[in-house]
Amino acid sequence: MRRTLFKWIGGTVLAIVLLSLAYAGLFGPDGKSTEFEEFLIEPDDSLAEVSEALASRGLIRNTFGFSIAYARMAGTIETYPGGYELSTSMDAWTVAKILSGPPKLAWVRIPEGYRKEQIAELLMKTLGWTEEERERWVTVDTETSANEKEGVYFPDIYLIPTDQSTAEVAARLKERFTHETKLLREEALASGIDWEEALIIASLIERESNGRDDQELIAGIIMNRLEDGMPLGIDATLQYIRGESGAWWPVPQSEDKYLESPYNTYFRPGLPPHPIANPSLESIAAAIRPSATSCLYYLHDYDGEIHCSTNYRAHVANVNRYLK
């Protein structure tokens, strides 16, 4: 009887030890260092790719065990892109909990042609800003000078610390703009082109063009209208005037052409006071390298193809031909 009891106790202890070893092998830490190191999840990384990267850096012991822990902690196998702080002393459950929570660094993709209010909403959602922080970014941080109201918040993919201030984020986007547009700025100045005016025109091109193929043509038509003293008649400026949260670029209506605003290029000749959006490098390049054309009017048909004309009568004919 005693021998049987001892066997049972020994077997139980052995089972516990084996289970403990198995558990440690699956979920235990892979090291002892408590020093934090940055771990980055790219936007398209799968859970399997994240697991392999963690294992290769000694941040987890077992990829299968981590996958189980992550699915349990996150409730999904989808990963959350961003930058996180981890250490080799963490077990798989701790790593999974951290990677399924808010990142220390967040990926932010700012599309070309967004106005700063749109960017603010995107930053608010991605960085976890409050409504007050969003408002500050729009009304204070991007209003430091007349030349920084719009058009200098470069559309790109950023990795931004989630605890960075709104002013620091604005400075980050402007610094990227200054760096990326350096050669184009030099080209404009060498050609005697006013840089601020080029940015305004580039923002119009960005909102009016249908891809890269028609940007230089639209730039040439805008230059022709400016030289002739004609109103630009750019629909995107009407959209800019009427834009609001949920519909920043609404479909223009006929009555919008009579809106009293310095941005109404139907109602007022010349350029708007500042850019209406944040343009791409291609749109800026088009603004300083416009096509030589005799056209004064243009439209896009339902397939997105541009058609231009040299006079209003021909433009009306194009409207009837391609849009009716």
Side-chain angles (χ1 to χ4, degrees), residues 292-313:
T293 178
S294 58
C295 286
L296 288 171
Y297 301 88
Y298 66 91
L299 58 80
H300 290 93
D301 63 25
Y302 293 119
D303 293 324
E305 185 177 350
I306 193 169
H307 303 275
C308 76
S309 50
T310 59
N311 58 72
Y312 186 69
R313 177 177 294 179

Side-chain angles (χ1 to χ4, degrees), residues 157-197:
I157 298 175
Y158 297 84
L159 191 60
I160 302 177
T162 53
D163 60 355
Q164 196 164 62
S165 71
T166 56
E168 289 171 326
V169 173
R172 177 186 291 265
L173 271 57
K174 287 188 288 186
E175 287 170 7
R176 181 74 61 86
F177 170 83
T178 299
H179 173 75
E180 296 292 337
T181 60
K182 181 177 183 294
L183 294 179
L184 287 172
R185 180 192 292 265
E186 292 174 353
E187 180 180 344
L189 295 177
S191 301
I193 298 172
D194 183 275
W195 179 244
E196 280 69 35
E197 290 186 1

Side-chain angles (χ1 to χ4, degrees), residues 10 101 130 177 206 282:
T130 63
F177 170 83
E206 187 69 47
E282 290 80 5

Side-chain angles (χ1 to χ4, degrees), residues 51-301:
S51 300
E52 290 294 338
L54 289 168
S56 69
R57 291 176 53 178
L59 292 167
I60 59 171
R61 180 174 291 183
N62 185 282
T63 57
F64 178 67
F66 169 75
S67 297
I68 294 174
Y70 185 85
R72 184 74 177 272
M73 298 298 295
T76 178
I77 61 171
E78 293 183 4
T79 59
Y80 300 94
Y84 300 82
E85 291 183 345
L86 305 173
S87 75
T88 60
S89 64
M90 295 176 177
D91 62 21
W93 296 100
T94 303
V95 173
K97 182 178 180 180
I98 290 173
L99 295 187
S100 61
K104 294 287 185 180
L105 299 168
W107 288 106
V108 180
R109 178 185 175 274
I110 299 176
E112 298 164 347
Y114 266 30
R115 54 194 291 170
K116 69 178 182 181
E117 294 90 349
Q118 281 180 287
I119 296 176
E121 290 183 344
L122 182 61
L123 294 170
M124 180 180 176
K125 178 180 179 181
T126 310
L127 301 180
W129 284 356
T130 63
E131 183 61 37
E132 290 72 21
E133 287 174 314
R134 182 203 64 78
E135 182 67 18
R136 177 177 177 80
W137 199 85
V138 171
T139 61
V140 178
D141 302 324
T142 55
E143 292 281 340
T144 54
S145 73
N147 294 332
E148 295 181 348
K149 288 178 178 290
E150 189 65 273
V152 296
Y153 304 98
F154 193 68
D156 206 346
I157 298 175
Y158 297 84
L159 191 60
I160 302 177
T162 53
D163 60 355
Q164 196 164 62
S165 71
T166 56
E168 289 171 326
V169 173
R172 177 186 291 265
L173 271 57
K174 287 188 288 186
E175 287 170 7
R176 181 74 61 86
F177 170 83
T178 299
H179 173 75
E180 296 292 337
T181 60
K182 181 177 183 294
L183 294 179
L184 287 172
R185 180 192 292 265
E186 292 174 353
E187 180 180 344
L189 295 177
S191 301
I193 298 172
D194 183 275
W195 179 244
E196 280 69 35
E197 290 186 1
L199 288 184
I200 297 173
I201 294 172
S203 74
L204 302 178
I205 295 169
E206 187 69 47
R207 295 304 315 179
E208 286 284 302
S209 65
N210 185 44
R212 308 302 182 205
D213 294 339
D214 59 12
Q215 290 181 325
E216 292 184 3
L217 175 58
I218 292 176
I221 294 171
I222 290 174
M223 295 304 300
N224 287 347
R225 287 195 159 205
L226 289 172
E227 290 173 2
D228 286 358
M230 296 173 57
L232 293 181
I234 301 291
D235 284 351
T237 61
L238 305 181
Q239 295 176 296
Y240 182 76
I241 298 167
R242 290 186 50 225
E244 58 184 1
S245 183
W248 286 116
W249 302 98
V251 176
Q253 306 298 319
S254 296
E255 58 269 24
D256 294 340
K257 297 177 181 180
Y258 305 99
L259 290 171
E260 179 59 47
S261 169
Y263 301 95
N264 188 342
T265 55
Y266 279 89
F267 193 71
R268 294 173 180 271
L271 293 171
H274 61 67
I276 63 170
N278 292 275
S280 62
L281 290 176
E282 290 80 5
S283 291
I284 299 174
I288 62 179
R289 305 168 194 159
S291 291
T293 178
S294 58
C295 286
L296 288 171
Y297 301 88
Y298 66 91
L299 58 80
H300 290 93
D301 63 25

